[in-house]
Amino acid sequence: MANVVVVGSQWGDEGKGKIVDWLSEQADIVVRFQGGHNAGHTLVVNGTTFKLSLLPSGVVRPGKLSVIGNGVVLDPYALVEEIERVSAQGVAITPDTLRIAENTTLILSLHRHLDELREGSNSGTKIGTTKRGIGPAYEDKVGRRAIRLMDLADLESLDGKIEGLLAHHNALRRGSGLPEIGAGTVRQELTRIAPRVLPYMDRVWALLEDKRREGKRILFEGAQGALLDVDHGTYPFVTSSNTVAAQAATGSGVGPGALDYVLGICKAYTTRVGQGPFPTEQDNDIGRRIGDRGREFGTVTGRRRRCGWFDAVLVRQTVRTSGIRGLALTKLDILDGFDEIQVCVGYRLHGRELDYLPASAAAQASVEPVYETIEGWRESTAGARSWAELPATAIKYVRRIEELVGCPVALLSTSPERDDTILVQNPFES
């Protein structure tokens, strides 16, 4: 039986929540493998809306095991708050239903303070982060000074690790004219939360291998989108982790052979939150029309998203960097009523034509989209559950996207409701 990886194939916010929820019903285990509580999924189950940030989408489904992998950076206080909020909605979350990798890096309050300081500074590049400490926590992980979940179980060795962490952070604070943080403050922060999170700790790499041998279906749930990948995205306007599909293996402790099918989620148009290049952005009435109809506001931040036409160049590139075998195309209904729809099929840069997004930040900011005009449709696609219910011109639009990105559409979503989905190919059976 196939194990499936779900990744965003644009800049995030593609509607992964609904698709992951739809797939999680067929899975036995759902694994989050990167990111933190800066990413959000909205799920609607039996009329109840769940807003998740750290918890895998499988937690709202009885009988599923949810796993937070080592590739995630974990704010333990945010986790406990989210568990309490979701539990109040009638979902039982216990160590029997949720496991967290023992080697997961922790986000502390000092990480949030540093994130806020940088984003509020008048110097340097503003990335448009959520100011939740994600980037600084990943920096400490790579710098080999991070405190990990397992460290909370060994309080005797915690003091030395705190000193090593503060040697770095207090130097930064002194340079910014801020008071130093005492080791006792950090120790108290950690010891207070330890009993609330340690019961969920596990050797996730071993757990997942055991489940694989039992023949269990595993769904690997990515956060954000491939264009925010720290290596393959629009650097430096990216997140601090790898968001491409290969990270599912690294961020959960399984070998790459465990990843059988990669499903890429993309909207029928394009959106982006925060700063950075966006070749097809429509900062005009068209963009506002798309944004209003699509309710394009961030699940976590509430920020209005930038909107634009579908960029086939970018999605074709992420199909390749993530090894995507099928696309889940979402929000087709938002394009209902347009007389004409533009699709970006290439770029121009200083008189040259390109069929890819260059890696240079200066070049990314300078590319001009080359558009192909496609006939729109007046009929409604909202709620369609079969190809027969779609206008012929809408089907032509979907087929043209498949041709341009070099990847078939496996699922087509026509509303936020989970059942308003046209299934072409079931990833778990491919």
Side-chain angles (χ1 to χ4, degrees):
M1 291 184 288
N3 297 321
V4 176
V5 183
V6 174
V7 293
S9 57
Q10 294 162 314
W11 278 292
D13 308 309
E14 300 96 347
K16 290 186 292 296
K18 169 187 169 175
I19 302 300
V20 169
D21 176 54
W22 189 88
L23 289 169
S24 68
E25 198 166 41
Q26 304 175 62
D28 300 298
I29 304 158
V30 183
V31 183
R32 267 289 304 273
F33 59 83
Q34 51 79 218
H37 64 308
N38 55 336
H41 288 168
T42 300
L43 309 179
V44 181
V45 182
N46 298 326
T48 301
T49 299
F50 298 94
K51 293 185 180 295
L52 307 179
S53 294
L54 273 169
L55 293 173
S57 299
V59 297
V60 302
R61 296 280 169 197
K64 311 297 180 183
L65 176 62
S66 294
V67 174
I68 296 176
N70 57 274
V72 174
V73 283
L74 180 78
D75 183 326
Y77 283 88
L79 174 68
V80 169
E81 181 182 333
E82 188 172 334
I83 288 174
E84 291 175 345
R85 174 166 44 82
V86 174
S87 296
Q89 293 183 274
V91 177
I93 300 175
T94 71
D96 291 328
T97 61
L98 174 66
R99 306 286 179 85
I100 305 173
E102 60 183 359
N103 50 338
T104 298
T105 293
L106 299 182
I107 299 175
L108 311 181
S109 57
L110 56 80
H111 295 123
R112 294 193 300 273
H113 297 159
L114 181 56
D115 211 354
E116 292 168 358
L117 177 66
R118 288 172 173 171
E119 281 296 306
S121 172
N122 291 323
S123 61
T125 301
K126 287 184 172 59
I127 304 300
T129 76
T130 56
K131 302 179 183 178
R132 301 195 173 199
I134 310 296
Y138 274 118
E139 288 177 35
D140 284 343
K141 176 180 180 176
V142 175
R144 300 179 296 277
R145 55 182 171 264
I147 292 176
R148 302 188 292 177
L149 181 60
M150 68 177 73
D151 296 327
L152 303 188
D154 184 10
L155 296 180
E156 291 185 4
S157 66
L158 195 56
D159 289 340
K161 292 172 181 176
I162 291 173
E163 289 178 8
L165 181 67
L166 290 181
H168 173 78
H169 281 270
N170 278 335
L172 295 176
R173 293 177 68 85
R174 287 194 299 271
S176 300
L178 297 175
E180 294 187 9
I181 299 172
T185 300
V186 177
R187 183 182 174 88
Q188 183 181 36
E189 178 182 342
L190 293 170
T191 55
R192 190 167 62 241
I193 199 67
R196 306 288 301 277
V197 294
L198 282 176
Y200 300 101
M201 186 173 71
D202 204 342
R203 288 181 300 122
V204 160
W205 62 270
L207 170 70
L208 294 179
E209 176 61 18
D210 289 344
K211 296 299 182 182
R212 281 188 62 214
R213 289 179 181 274
E214 293 172 13
K216 302 296 186 183
R217 284 180 168 181
I218 306 174
L219 177 63
F220 297 89
E221 175 185 6
Q224 302 156 302
L227 292 171
L228 293 175
D229 186 277
V230 69
D231 288 301
H232 300 286
T234 49
Y235 190 91
F237 301 98
V238 292
T239 193
S240 300
S241 62
N242 288 111
T243 57
V244 294
Q247 178 64 16
T250 305
S252 61
V254 302
L259 313 180
D260 300 306
Y261 186 100
V262 180
L263 180 70
I265 318 295
C266 66
K267 287 174 179 168
Y269 49 95
T270 311
T271 63
R272 178 165 199 170
V273 172
Q275 306 300 310
F278 186 169
T280 65
E281 181 176 12
Q282 299 296 299
D283 188 13
N284 51 30
D285 289 341
I286 291 174
R288 286 186 286 275
R289 179 180 174 185
I290 292 173
D292 290 342
R293 294 194 63 188
R295 298 179 183 177
E296 295 296 349
F297 298 91
T299 300
V300 171
T301 63
R303 289 185 292 182
R304 188 178 184 93
R305 297 173 184 139
R306 301 155 63 190
C307 298
W309 295 119
F310 186 84
D311 192 329
V313 181
L314 291 182
V315 176
R316 181 171 63 242
Q317 198 157 317
T318 59
V319 163
R320 295 173 180 177
T321 57
S322 273
I324 294 171
R325 288 179 52 191
L327 290 175
L329 189 66
T330 66
K331 292 197 167 186
L332 180 68
D333 55 305
I334 305 306
L335 298 181
D336 293 352
F338 280 94
D339 293 326
E340 293 182 340
I341 299 171
Q342 304 292 317
V343 175
C344 177
V345 297
Y347 300 132
R348 288 193 185 92
L349 178 64
H350 308 313
R352 294 187 300 125
E353 291 197 358
L354 302 178
D355 61 356
Y356 64 94
L357 183 70
S360 159
Q364 290 175 356
S366 301
V367 295
E368 299 177 358
V370 176
Y371 286 116
E372 177 180 302
T373 301
I374 297 177
E375 181 184 359
W377 55 90
R378 285 290 174 182
E379 305 93 328
S380 173
T381 63
R385 299 184 181 182
S386 70
W387 290 109
E389 298 177 55
L390 293 178
T393 44
I395 294 174
K396 288 180 181 178
Y397 179 71
V398 174
R399 295 305 186 204
R400 185 56 179 148
I401 285 177
E402 291 179 318
E403 292 173 357
L404 290 169
V405 304
C407 186
V409 169
L411 296 99
L412 183 64
S413 173
T414 56
S415 93
E417 295 297 325
R418 69 189 309 273
D419 291 330
D420 291 341
T421 304
I422 300 172
L423 175 64
V424 182
Q425 180 185 57
N426 189 335
F428 277 115
E429 298 174 358
S430 301

